[in-house]
Amino acid sequence: MILQIIKYGDKILHKKCKKIKKNILFEGLFENMFNTLLENMFNTLLKYRGVGLSAPQIGISLRLFIINYFDSRKNIFLNTKILKQFGVYKEYCEGCLSLPKSFYRIKRKEILLIEYFDEKWIRHNLLIKGFLARVILHEYDHINGKLIIL
Ligand SMILES: [Zn+2]
């Protein structure tokens, strides 16, 4: 299923999202719904040719985003924390599925250390560089209620 992407102007895009709790995630009904949600999010991301999609962009205020870029795996990030940012700020033109046809020059650090849980609730610590670091920071801003125009 292709989900409707929420566009700039909707309040949900400006809200800080809630943490996902492990016990809720693995309760029978919600677990099925969660898997369907992830599948729908990937279908939507591919349809609109984006590299990342966050839960608030489809109307769900939870700390979840997905990325389809760095390998063929589906990359799912729950409760992501940015532990450290390194390097210099680099400027690059970014777009956003919630701001169609608009591009903004955004300065971001180029190296990150992050912690996150995957959909099986396995915790990862990852050092990320370059374009992927930028995508993660963009999606991380979404779960904190920030858009590239603010
Ligand atoms: Zn975006």
Side-chain angles (χ1 to χ4, degrees):
M1 191 177 142
I2 306 298
L3 304 167
Q4 199 193 333
I5 294 180
I6 293 183
K7 302 293 186 313
Y8 175 67
D10 193 302
K11 275 190 213 142
I12 196 165
L13 295 176
H14 301 286
K15 248 175 82 176
K16 194 173 170 181
C17 296
K18 285 196 178 124
K19 259 190 172 181
I20 296 168
K21 289 183 180 148
K22 186 185 177 186
N23 58 336
I24 293 172
L25 195 62
F26 295 104
E27 269 174 25
L29 183 65
F30 193 79
E31 191 175 358
N32 293 338
M33 280 168 51
F34 190 65
N35 290 330
T36 306
L37 170 72
L38 292 174
E39 206 184 304
N40 291 341
M41 283 179 77
F42 275 105
N43 290 338
T44 306
L45 183 61
L46 293 176
K47 157 101 179 159
Y48 294 105
R49 298 165 193 269
V51 282
L53 182 66
S54 64
Q57 289 178 284
I58 49 142
I60 296 169
S61 196
L62 286 176
R63 302 185 77 76
L64 156 71
F65 57 80
I66 61 165
I67 289 176
N68 180 47
Y69 167 66
F70 54 107
D71 54 32
S72 53
R73 234 165 28 94
K74 290 182 169 177
N75 296 286
I76 296 156
F77 296 81
L78 307 178
N79 294 345
T80 302
K81 283 184 195 161
I82 308 285
L83 301 178
K84 215 168 172 187
Q85 301 191 37
F86 316 80
V88 293
Y89 283 100
K90 288 246 169 99
E91 205 178 61
Y92 189 83
C93 242
E94 288 185 25
C96 180
L97 294 175
S98 293
L99 297 154
K101 293 174 185 151
S102 305
F103 295 90
Y104 299 89
R105 298 194 73 84
I106 307 290
K107 281 182 186 157
R108 299 197 192 269
K109 290 264 180 122
E110 50 178 359
I111 307 167
L112 302 178
L113 181 63
I114 68 162
E115 181 191 285
Y116 70 98
F117 291 84
D118 66 20
E119 73 282 14
K120 297 192 173 76
W121 208 262
I122 296 165
R123 186 164 63 184
H124 300 267
N125 281 285
L126 208 62
L127 189 69
I128 300 159
K129 292 179 198 171
F131 184 69
L132 182 62
R134 176 170 294 276
V135 177
I136 285 177
L137 286 171
H138 179 116
E139 300 309 326
Y140 183 78
D141 279 351
H142 272 299
I143 61 171
N144 286 317
K146 268 178 75 181
L147 293 173
I148 49 177
I149 46 165
L150 298 176

